[in-house]
Amino acid sequence: ALAIDFVHETASEPLSRVIDAVINDRDRNSPPTLAMIKDAMNSGLSASLVGAGVLEEAEDDVLLEEIDALIDRHGADALAEEFIRYE
């Protein structure tokens, strides 16, 4: 097995805030996957978080690349909460 298989990857602090916003969405019935996070971002969540001051506009630009990289490595159905960075 490759060493990378044993490293627990976490999302950046800004992406963790996006994941947290989706997890705390009261309308959601199931734990969000990475694909659900990407869908929410593409549906305007990132822009609304920038507007609310939760994200900075510069952070928003790189988040789709980051979520795509996580999906490439772990699959679209991976539970997003497993990647939250707690600091």
Side-chain angles (χ1 to χ4, degrees):
L2 299 174
I4 193 75
D5 294 337
F6 299 103
V7 174
H8 181 72
E9 188 171 15
T10 58
S12 66
E13 184 65 31
L15 185 56
S16 292
R17 292 193 297 265
V18 172
I19 294 169
D20 193 52
V22 175
I23 288 172
N24 290 318
D25 179 358
R26 300 280 182 238
D27 296 333
R28 190 161 302 284
N29 295 328
S30 60
T33 63
L34 293 177
M36 292 173 173
I37 300 298
K38 182 177 179 179
D39 289 345
M41 292 168 66
N42 285 328
S43 297
L45 177 63
S46 299
S48 68
L49 292 177
V50 169
V54 175
L55 291 178
E56 294 180 24
E57 205 164 328
E59 294 173 328
D60 179 39
D61 296 339
V62 297
L63 293 180
L64 278 175
E65 292 175 20
E66 183 180 353
I67 195 78
D68 282 338
L70 287 173
I71 289 170
D72 287 347
R73 284 195 285 283
H74 303 283
D77 293 331
L79 291 179
E81 65 188 329
E82 295 179 7
F83 299 94
I84 292 180
R85 175 178 298 193
Y86 295 102
E87 292 183 359

